[in-house]
């Protein structure tokens, strides 16, 4: 399977991951205050996911970045076990991630003809 990375895919993917990094960072105080999660665990999960989003966004010039970005989407859904709202938000971000890849490939495929 040939997976060609296009500039539109990088832009849309980085946008999704950037917004997801902000949300992931913000689950830390929610987990501590609302969920009663231990601060060390909440920081590890929330900030760790945010950093992983930023790293994945930086690697989007290579196909591996999209694999890492997809892993981030699964992890974002799994953070719902820490903050239950993340089950919903994780699915939303996963849908945005998939849509960004599909739409960018279609638009750039149509404009290259």
């Amino acid at each position: 399977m040939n997976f060609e990375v296009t500039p539109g895919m990088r832009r849309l993917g980085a946008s999704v991951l950037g917004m997801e990094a902000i949300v992931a960072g913000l689950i830390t105080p929610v987990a501590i205050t609302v969920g009663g999660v231990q601060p060390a665990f909440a920081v590890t999960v929330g900030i760790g996911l945010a950093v992983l989003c930023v790293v994945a966004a930086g690697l989007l010039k290579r196909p591996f970045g999209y694999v890492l970005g997809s892993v981030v989407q699964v992890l974002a859904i799994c953070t719902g076990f820490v903050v239950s709202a993340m089950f919903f938000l994780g699915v939303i971000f996963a849908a945005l991630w998939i849509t960004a890849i599909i739409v960018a490939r279609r638009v750039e495929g149509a404009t290259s003809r």
Side-chain angles (χ1 to χ4, degrees):
M1 181 176 143
N2 185 15
F3 187 79
E4 182 182 342
V5 176
T6 63
M9 286 172 59
R10 283 196 308 264
R11 280 191 296 272
L12 287 175
S15 297
V16 170
L17 289 169
M19 294 305 295
E20 191 168 7
I22 294 168
V23 171
L26 290 173
I27 70 167
T28 301
V30 173
I32 295 168
T33 58
V34 176
V37 177
Q38 292 295 321
F41 183 69
V43 168
T44 302
V45 170
I47 303 302
L49 183 61
V51 168
L52 198 56
C53 287
V54 172
V55 169
L59 292 173
L60 291 181
K61 289 187 177 184
R62 301 193 169 123
F64 175 74
Y66 294 89
V67 173
L68 183 59
S70 299
V71 169
V72 165
Q73 303 314 313
V74 172
L75 293 175
I77 294 169
C78 289
T79 58
F81 291 109
V82 178
V83 175
S84 60
M86 282 303 292
F87 283 124
F88 174 72
L89 291 173
V91 169
I92 295 295
F93 276 113
L96 288 171
W97 175 253
I98 293 166
T99 302
I101 293 170
I102 292 171
V103 167
R105 289 186 70 114
R106 282 188 185 162
V107 167
E108 291 183 353
T111 57
S112 66
R113 291 185 214 167

